Amino acid sequence: MKKIPSKQIQLAKENEYLKIIGKAHCIDTPLISPISKRKCVYYQIKVEERSGGKNKSWHTIINEEKAIDFSIESSGEKAIVQAYSSSNYKMVHLVKDVKRESGILNDPPKFLENYLASHGKDSTGFFGFNKTMHFQEGIIEIGEEISVLGTANWKVSDHMFDKYSTQNLFISGNKTNKLLITDDPKAKV
């Protein structure tokens, strides 16, 4: 993704596969990330549990991803990123900037226990000892600079980003050209 040059929103052509670097903003009500409780437009959570007898290994027990459509603002122009779409049409890489652990002498906070319970999981084992677990969360915060690569389509919209036009740029993905979204700073270079 970093090898593709970014483009200005107003120069996007219909059905062009393009990259835009800009700040993420909500169109409607933001999401609240379950672990860090921050407002966002996208989050990914991975919870791993260490298990096994002699040969202990990590197993993913929760892999949650949630998104809403949002706008990206670049050079004073806005486009709508259709992130609330099938996982077959997108690839998202978010930097996991919140990491928590629990273990035998390290109780998880109550909100993490509640999060586990909401997914039918428990932080304690058969004898009541804490399980060894890793919690990781990556989000796209409101106002965070991100990179988006997707197919451009100009459509009539109720979101009046430009007072002179009823059309907005929508960025989406399909089976051939997936929507790529990342907050990794390396993608901007």
Side-chain angles (χ1 to χ4, degrees):
M1 190 171 188
K2 66 182 178 182
K3 293 179 182 179
I4 298 170
S6 62
K7 191 161 192 175
Q8 291 182 338
I9 291 170
Q10 68 266 24
L11 299 178
K13 296 179 183 133
E14 187 71 14
N15 294 317
E16 178 182 14
Y17 197 55
L18 71 130
K19 175 180 167 184
I20 295 176
I21 298 173
K23 293 186 177 184
H25 296 286
C26 276
I27 298 172
D28 294 314
T29 306
L31 299 171
I32 303 295
S33 61
I35 294 178
S36 64
K37 307 296 183 201
R38 296 177 286 174
K39 290 181 180 180
C40 61
V41 296
Y42 210 113
Y43 68 77
Q44 292 176 331
I45 296 175
K46 183 177 183 180
V47 180
E48 297 175 303
E49 179 183 336
R50 191 166 179 204
S51 60
K54 281 185 178 179
N55 302 321
K56 293 190 183 262
S57 59
W58 291 99
H59 301 279
T60 301
I61 61 168
I62 299 173
N63 202 0
E64 182 182 12
E65 188 168 320
K66 193 164 184 184
I68 56 173
D69 291 347
F70 61 92
S71 69
I72 184 167
E73 182 180 6
S74 178
S75 301
E77 299 284 326
K78 288 184 179 179
I80 297 171
V81 179
Q82 294 182 292
Y84 185 73
S85 61
S86 168
S87 59
N88 295 332
Y89 300 148
K90 67 183 174 186
M91 288 182 7
V92 180
H93 170 72
L94 302 180
V95 174
K96 304 303 184 272
D97 58 348
V98 172
K99 297 177 182 179
R100 303 269 181 134
E101 295 182 359
S102 69
I104 291 184
L105 297 174
N106 184 12
D107 292 341
K110 185 71 175 160
F111 72 91
L112 286 180
E113 294 215 23
N114 292 339
Y115 178 74
L116 289 170
S118 73
H119 286 80
K121 306 294 179 185
D122 194 359
S123 66
T124 56
F126 184 69
F127 296 109
F129 292 111
N130 288 337
K131 296 176 183 175
T132 302
M133 304 175 105
H134 285 164
F135 301 82
Q136 298 177 39
E137 179 184 79
I139 72 169
I140 297 176
E141 281 188 271
I142 310 301
E144 181 176 5
E145 190 167 73
I146 61 169
S147 300
V148 174
L149 181 64
T151 303
N153 294 109
W154 290 97
K155 300 178 188 177
V156 174
S157 171
D158 292 337
H159 305 289
M160 301 296 287
F161 294 147
D162 181 355
K163 64 182 177 182
Y164 302 108
S165 175
T166 59
Q167 288 196 337
N168 288 313
L169 180 65
F170 285 74
I171 303 168
S172 61
N174 55 44
K175 284 186 180 180
T176 309
N177 294 319
K178 293 192 185 250
L179 174 65
L180 305 176
I181 303 171
T182 186
D183 63 350
D184 191 331
K186 295 176 197 164
K188 298 176 209 163
V189 178

